[in-house]
Amino acid sequence: MTRKETVGDVAKESIPLNTGAVIRTPGNTKKYHTGSWRTFRPVIDQKTCIKCGTCWRVCPDAAIYIDKDGKYRINYDYCKGCLICFRECPVKAISKELEQK
Amino acid sequence: MKTVIEASEAVALGAKLSRVKVCPMYPITPSTHIPERISDYIFDGEMDAEMIHVESEHSAASALIGSILTGARSFTATSSNGFELMYEILPILSGMRLPAVMAVANRAVAGPINIWNDHSDAVSARDQGWVQFYVESSQECIDTIIQCYKIAEDKNVQMPVMMCLDGFSLTHVFENVDIPEQKQVDSFLPPFKREDILDVKNPKTFGPIGLPDSFMNFKKQQQDAMINAIDVIKKANLDYKKLFGRGYGDGLIELYKMDDAEYAILAMGTICGTAKAKAEELRAKGKKVGVIRLRSYRPFPVEALKKAFKKLTRLAVLDRHISLGSDGPLFTEINAIAPGLDVFGYIAGLGGRDVTLDHMESVYLDLETGKQKREWLM
Ligand code: SF4
Ligand code: SF4
């Protein structure tokens, strides 16, 4: 499938350009990696984090998850860099770093 | 069967014969007789359809999205400011490639408030991705509504279609109409089938976001579909003619006494009848005059028009709408495709102002003398 016939140049798997923009395979939002939008990367300092869950709750892209050790982690495939988590963290455990390519 | 009916009823019968299943409709003068007739048919059990009494035209257009996505052939009608209220949804129906069919009883858009006929409602929506027909008679209304579904649902088109008929000057006119047999219509227009429908067993996403990496591609697909519609319209006209014995030019434009014409009037809708009457009169006096009736405004039939212009010395374009601050949109577009032709532009019949035989005579005289180039026919 050529680039012209598909959507999503940042996605690992492309979605076909069906007539009327119909998406025939449900659940494909996962294929769209909003991480490519990011200018600033939020970084959680695990030592400062008090595990209050605020960042997890406010992230508009559900890009924050709790790992098997109960730590709050960011999935950078989907974190779009809005920095809401950075702003809302009550103990300033989240810092921002400029993305460099 | 031939019978004398109002053009609005011809439109409603066209929808009934097309076996329309859902009609989200909101009445507005002068389109109101259309939902009235359809309500009658449904109430009398002659039409197996659901009439949705929506709270506005915006909702009527929105309900078309849902009804077509369930796989139901759908129809609505409106006019003027009701049409304007639908505006937001028009490009969405087109962008989602939903084959809605709508009758537009053309009426001037307020203000000042005016219920009479001009083309300001539909012409100003020319860029919204709907095929646009402008018809001239009650017979053409019934025939065209049936063809509209054929064209809209064609797999190479899949675009909504509006059929524009002049408010009052056509909607409220009673004429002799040959009503097609249901069996024949069924053979022309097969049941509506769509690959992508709302189905809980096979969920799909309709109307998603189109980001910069895809939006333009979808627009290109729509433009391709519109260009495809040119041949589909021609074929629908031809196939219909074979079955029912009636055609309207090549489906795109209709030529009247154009074989050897030197001067011609180009217009849309009912004023073409007035132009034809004057042309006939002038022909009797030996003047080589003709009429070009543009039936399909979108897609704009560039090739067919260019061919029709070949032998002309001068052409007059009558617009029943003005793009304020610019010019008559039809005039502007015709100029763009006919650089070598002397084109005169006239703004005519706004807000129901009569366009008379005398007006047509003055236009033909302008063409002959080559004097007047731009005028408002007051
Ligand atoms: S920056 Fe925005 S998107 Fe990324 S993790 Fe924080 S809240 Fe979520
Ligand atoms: S908001 Fe801050 S403290 Fe709370 S879980 Fe997130 S990183 Fe940890």
Side-chain angles (χ1 to χ4, degrees), chain B residues 6 8-9 12 28 30-38 171-172:
Chain B
E6 198 187 36
S8 294
E9 177 151 21
I28 179 171
S31 70
T32 305
H33 291 180
I34 301 168
E36 277 180 11
R37 292 294 80 75
I38 290 182
T171 53
H172 288 53

Side-chain angles (χ1 to χ4, degrees), chain A:
Chain A
M1 205 167 277
T2 65
R3 162 84 171 74
K4 274 196 177 136
E5 291 162 340
T6 57
V7 191
D9 51 345
V10 295
K12 281 180 189 142
E13 280 172 81
S14 294
I15 304 161
L17 286 172
N18 296 325
T19 303
V22 174
I23 300 172
R24 299 193 180 120
T25 45
N28 55 66
T29 304
K30 259 196 234 159
K31 293 181 190 168
Y32 197 87
H33 291 179
T34 45
S36 73
W37 300 1
R38 204 168 50 235
T39 307
F40 287 99
R41 163 188 291 252
V43 179
I44 300 175
D45 174 21
Q46 298 297 343
K47 281 194 216 100
T48 320
C49 172
I50 55 168
K51 298 187 174 65
C52 70
T54 302
C55 56
W56 176 86
R57 215 166 45 242
V58 299
C59 175
D61 272 51
I64 296 179
Y65 63 99
I66 305 159
D67 73 7
K68 58 179 183 346
D69 303 325
K71 285 184 178 149
Y72 284 80
R73 302 275 188 195
I74 296 170
N75 183 336
Y76 292 108
D77 278 351
Y78 302 107
C79 163
K80 63 188 176 189
C82 70
L83 298 182
I84 293 174
C85 56
F86 162 81
R87 203 182 142 129
E88 296 300 323
C89 174
V91 294
K92 305 227 174 300
I94 303 176
S95 59
K96 59 170 185 179
E97 288 173 10
L98 188 66
E99 288 284 359
Q100 317 253 10
K101 285 238 164 86

